[in-house]
Amino acid sequence: MALPGFPWLKRNLRWTDEVSGGYQTKMAHPVAGGAGFLMDVVLVFPWLGALIPLSAWQVGRAFARAARRS
């Protein structure tokens, strides 16, 4: 079972990396690094907050699928 919402997180982090100039630029330039880091944090914290309900939903779907099979 994969982490729920992980494809969304990867897609959005890839987008913020492109907008902020790429990983190497963020690490080489402190101003771009700070802004790029904050853009990433804005996405990671809501994903972590949503991880618990998304996980419960995914486990519930697995149980429902198993119940339908038997």
Side-chain angles (χ1 to χ4, degrees):
M1 194 178 329
L3 285 174
F6 193 65
W8 173 87
L9 180 65
K10 280 179 49 175
R11 184 176 58 247
N12 285 304
L13 287 178
R14 184 173 40 246
W15 178 81
T16 58
D17 197 38
E18 290 171 9
V19 169
S20 61
Y23 179 77
Q24 295 300 326
T25 304
K26 285 196 287 188
M27 293 301 109
H29 193 277
V31 174
F37 176 73
L38 287 176
M39 287 171 63
D40 291 346
V41 166
V42 165
L43 293 170
V44 170
F45 279 146
W47 176 74
L48 285 173
L51 196 57
I52 293 169
L54 285 173
S55 296
W57 179 65
Q58 191 171 12
V59 167
R61 277 187 9 174
F63 281 134
R65 245 185 261 133
R68 273 188 244 133
R69 286 186 193 147
S70 54

